[in-house]
Amino acid sequence: MSAETLSKQISLQSQPSNIVLIEPFIEEVRSRLNIADEMYGNILVCITEAVNNAILHGNKADESKQVVVSIQKEQNKLTCLVKDEGCGFDFTNLPDPTAPENIENCGGRGIFLMKHLSDLVVFSNDGNKLKEKERIATWIERVILMHHKFPGDIEYIFCDDDFLAEMNQQYLEHDTFTDIITFNYNTGHYISGDIFISIDRIKENAATYKTTTEEELHRVMIHGILHLCGLNDKSPKDKKQMQEKENEALEILTRV
């Protein structure tokens, strides 16, 4: 793949017939970036499936609504974003199309293909939750400032158990499930990093600890931030301090 940077976007009216416009769009990207045949095929399948879901399930084939497809290429990373105007869906509760009882059902196949043909698939409904997103960003900034640091470039990536377990084994040599992995890219007093969170673990741990999925998610999100701020949880003493700081941060969130 070419080292060239690229940013390209297309908007589609929510008509099933418009799916045919995806192939020439991807073909143009392929030509610009000199993408290999196998990678091109994977990209085409993934984006076609995502657009099909966005038109039929997200926008309910409502022709007054748009589906926006954007592709960005920076360094060696190609990112594809498909956004509809629907109300979202529970991406953690989808049927497994490989299960014997689901072989003849169509549900879940598109997302199954996307997950297996991509390095990472992230689902987000925050386009419909802008105020909540701003509230969480304000909260995280306050917690960072409390620890005498400054917010830098922080990215959350929400994924499933299998993806995070694979990362856990690859980067940390731990052959177990985990709810979070944090990569520290701090520079001086500026807090930056990638924080990977398993939604599967969040839901299961919420049930185990008899709390809500939302509260457990917030706890794990701020856990990653606290790691970036210098806190550890290896020893019993460190774990106690980490939990106290998590509780302090969650209390701050109630006042944001």
Side-chain angles (χ1 to χ4, degrees):
M1 186 165 57
S2 167
E4 178 184 355
T5 58
L6 173 74
S7 181
K8 191 168 179 61
Q9 180 173 296
I10 185 174
S11 295
L12 306 174
Q13 194 175 19
S14 293
Q15 295 176 331
S17 59
N18 281 338
I19 292 175
V20 299
L21 300 176
I22 293 301
E23 186 168 356
F25 174 72
I26 303 301
E27 180 61 42
E28 186 176 344
V29 173
R30 176 194 191 181
S31 299
R32 286 274 304 275
L33 299 178
N34 193 27
I35 294 174
D37 289 346
E38 182 179 358
M39 183 181 293
Y40 166 74
N42 290 348
I43 294 169
L44 181 60
V45 170
C46 289
I47 295 184
T48 300
E49 290 292 344
V51 171
N52 183 64
N53 281 342
I55 290 175
L56 297 179
H57 304 298
N59 289 345
K60 309 296 184 186
D62 182 345
E63 296 182 10
S64 68
K65 295 181 178 180
Q66 297 287 310
V67 173
V68 178
V69 183
S70 59
I71 293 181
Q72 287 189 326
K73 163 67 168 56
E74 294 180 354
Q75 297 180 346
N76 64 342
K77 181 170 71 174
L78 186 69
T79 303
C80 307
L81 174 66
V82 178
K83 184 176 181 180
D84 60 50
E85 298 180 56
C87 59
F89 69 105
D90 184 0
F91 57 85
T92 67
N93 189 28
L94 295 171
D96 178 2
T98 64
E101 65 272 18
N102 294 327
I103 292 298
E104 296 184 4
N105 298 330
C106 295
R109 289 187 183 181
I111 290 175
F112 176 84
L113 287 171
M114 285 187 278
K115 284 184 174 181
H116 283 75
L117 296 178
S118 306
D119 293 325
L120 175 65
V121 176
V122 177
F123 300 99
S124 174
N125 297 331
D126 58 9
N128 295 316
K129 298 181 180 178
L130 183 58
K131 289 184 179 179
E132 178 65 10
K133 182 177 180 180
E134 292 174 347
R135 174 173 170 257
I136 295 298
T138 298
W139 169 54
I140 290 171
E141 181 177 356
R142 288 186 185 179
V143 172
I144 291 173
L145 292 173
M146 275 181 53
H147 287 81
H148 310 292
K149 308 287 185 181
F150 300 99
D153 185 9
I154 300 167
E155 184 171 358
Y156 285 96
I157 300 95
F158 301 101
C159 51
D160 59 19
D161 264 350
D162 291 338
F163 183 85
L164 204 56
E166 186 176 334
M167 289 191 69
N168 202 17
Q169 189 169 33
Q170 180 179 353
Y171 293 101
L172 302 178
E173 298 183 354
H174 296 160
D175 191 15
T176 59
F177 286 128
T178 184
D179 53 1
I180 184 171
I181 294 178
T182 303
F183 293 93
N184 186 326
Y185 306 135
N186 292 349
T187 304
H189 290 288
Y190 284 88
I191 299 300
S192 298
D194 289 339
I195 301 174
F196 290 78
I197 294 177
S198 168
I199 295 299
D200 294 338
R201 286 299 91 204
I202 296 298
K203 293 180 72 174
E204 186 167 318
N205 288 343
T208 299
Y209 300 131
K210 294 181 172 53
T211 186
T212 65
T213 301
E214 182 179 47
E215 182 171 342
E216 182 64 17
L217 176 60
H218 290 159
R219 180 179 293 277
V220 175
M221 288 177 70
I222 211 63
H223 181 92
I225 295 296
L226 292 171
H227 269 308
L228 293 176
C229 287
L231 274 73
N232 293 307
D233 55 0
K234 297 295 184 183
S235 69
K237 181 180 178 181
D238 289 341
K239 287 181 179 179
K240 185 175 183 294
Q241 183 186 30
M242 174 67 82
Q243 188 171 27
E244 289 173 352
K245 295 301 181 182
E246 288 172 1
N247 290 337
E248 286 179 13
L250 290 172
E251 175 62 26
I252 292 170
L253 180 57
T254 64
R255 302 193 300 271
V256 175

